[in-house]
Amino acid sequence: MGQAEPRVATSAKREFTQAEIGAIAHLYRGEVYRSTIWRTRLDTTTNWSVVTLGVALSIAFSSPGASELPLLLVGVLIGLFMVLEARRYRYFNVWRARARWMETHFYAPMLDDGDLHTEENWQKTLAKDYWRPEYHVSMSRAMGRRIRRNYLWILSIQYLAYLGKLTVHPVPARGIGDVIGRAAIGPAPGWAVLGFGLFYLGSWLALAEWVRRKDAASARRKGGGKSLG
């Protein structure tokens, strides 16, 4: 469940009544519904990024004389959508974590051996999350997961399309020198513009890899489960 507290084994065991089990079932349905709604919102921001990149590609490759600047400027919009999606992911992760917690500690044990294992106090951990709700992942971790899932591919296509534009327009480049020369923007030399693009892409890649390693380490500590991020 993200940042859930570890189980605390005790000798006390509590039996749920039929009414309480029914209430938990309705609660689970509500959490699944909320996680589904926020999952849809994640898809929306990804679609915005894809559409804006498509528009930039259409403008940049509309003619040999068209400027390549739209391919650079669209990176600002993609970055903005990425931040918005990471923020939405933090909300989504709250609902998903609660639903997953009930699946793991309520439904799975009930289906497996008919014992809800309430002596492990999983229900108290869930109750605390309702009493004091908070995010289960940081903003940087949320961004890293969304980059790994979607935005690394979008940003890579953007950069490759930019290089392609410099290579083929207005005429096919005769060598790397032509590509670097065409990349110049005002007083900024071409090598600086291309280098900044690599740094920009590499920074997001580094964040995604750092988060992947953190998620893998967290999954190993919790018993080898695979992250759902």
Side-chain angles (χ1 to χ4, degrees):
M1 183 186 169
Q3 303 296 325
E5 298 178 5
R7 300 181 185 180
V8 179
T10 64
S11 57
K13 183 172 181 177
R14 179 181 179 281
E15 295 290 339
F16 286 121
T17 65
Q18 291 296 322
E20 289 171 334
I21 291 177
I24 292 175
H26 285 296
L27 179 64
Y28 172 73
R29 289 175 60 190
E31 296 298 353
V32 169
Y33 174 76
R34 289 200 286 187
S35 66
T36 301
I37 292 298
W38 281 90
R39 183 66 182 84
T40 302
R41 293 183 178 182
L42 295 181
D43 293 336
T44 300
T45 45
T46 300
N47 292 339
W48 290 347
S49 297
V50 172
V51 168
T52 53
L53 179 58
V55 171
L57 288 171
S58 298
I59 295 173
F61 286 92
S62 61
S63 67
S67 174
E68 70 277 0
L69 286 180
L71 289 173
L72 294 179
L73 297 177
V74 75
V76 178
L77 282 176
I78 293 175
L80 174 61
F81 293 146
M82 186 193 309
V83 172
L84 291 175
E85 186 165 323
R87 179 177 177 274
R88 291 178 174 183
Y89 177 85
R90 298 181 78 193
Y91 282 98
F92 158 75
N93 186 257
V94 172
W95 321 131
R96 186 199 66 176
R98 288 175 179 174
R100 183 59 181 161
W101 190 249
M102 283 186 274
E103 289 171 354
T104 303
H105 299 283
F106 182 81
Y107 289 102
M110 181 171 58
L111 293 171
D112 185 42
D113 56 18
D115 187 353
L116 299 181
H117 303 291
T118 55
E119 71 277 8
E120 296 177 354
N121 286 335
W122 60 265
Q123 72 277 18
K124 294 185 180 296
T125 300
L126 183 60
K128 288 179 180 178
D129 194 60
Y130 279 104
W131 281 114
R132 294 183 297 274
E134 59 183 21
Y135 293 122
H136 295 281
V137 294
S138 65
M139 188 66 174
S140 60
R141 201 160 186 172
M143 288 185 65
R145 290 180 180 180
R146 301 319 298 163
I147 292 168
R148 190 171 75 247
R149 295 293 182 181
N150 294 322
Y151 282 86
L152 184 59
W153 307 106
I154 296 174
L155 292 169
S156 297
I157 292 173
Q158 176 204 1
Y159 192 74
L160 291 175
Y162 175 66
L163 292 179
K165 170 68 177 179
L166 297 177
T167 301
V168 301
H169 287 166
V171 295
R174 293 188 298 270
I176 188 65
D178 286 350
V179 175
I180 295 176
R182 294 172 183 177
I185 301 177
W191 62 266
V193 175
L194 293 174
F196 178 79
L198 281 176
F199 174 78
Y200 180 77
L201 183 60
S203 297
W204 297 127
L205 175 61
L207 176 60
E209 177 62 17
W210 175 71
V211 169
R212 186 194 68 79
R213 291 175 181 269
K214 287 194 66 175
D215 286 345
S218 178
R220 285 194 296 269
R221 287 195 301 270
K222 294 175 182 177
K226 184 178 179 181
S227 170
L228 298 177

